[in-house]
Amino acid sequence: MTTIKVQGMKCQHCAGSAKKALEEIDGISNAQVNLDAGEVTFDGSADMETIKAAVSKAGFQVVD
């Protein structure tokens, strides 16, 4: 499992959008969002640039 910090999620709708954006990436599944911690955990792998682009397109930002 991989965990990333995601900035900009403020509600359950935001969490759902971030989850969907990650799960649409080939090779990633089972994304789980911890809204309070601002984290998303997922199975699988993809390059970080692809992940950042998907999260950005959904309206959020991956925090390094």
Side-chain angles (χ1 to χ4, degrees), residues 3-7 48-49 51-52 61-64:
T3 300
I4 58 172
K5 288 280 211 180
V6 177
Q7 188 175 35
M48 190 52 69
E49 292 307 312
I51 292 168
K52 286 181 178 181
Q61 180 179 358
V62 174
V63 180
D64 293 326

Side-chain angles (χ1 to χ4, degrees), residues 17-18 21-22 24-25 48-60:
S17 295
L22 285 171
E24 288 179 347
I25 298 171
M48 190 52 69
E49 292 307 312
T50 300
I51 292 168
K52 286 181 178 181
V55 170
S56 178
K57 186 175 178 182
F60 312 106

Side-chain angles (χ1 to χ4, degrees), residues 24-62:
E24 288 179 347
I25 298 171
D26 286 339
I28 291 184
S29 63
N30 195 32
Q32 300 296 318
V33 177
N34 181 332
L35 189 57
D36 293 332
E39 296 178 339
V40 181
T41 302
F42 53 88
D43 292 327
S45 64
D47 66 88
M48 190 52 69
E49 292 307 312
T50 300
I51 292 168
K52 286 181 178 181
V55 170
S56 178
K57 186 175 178 182
F60 312 106
Q61 180 179 358
V62 174

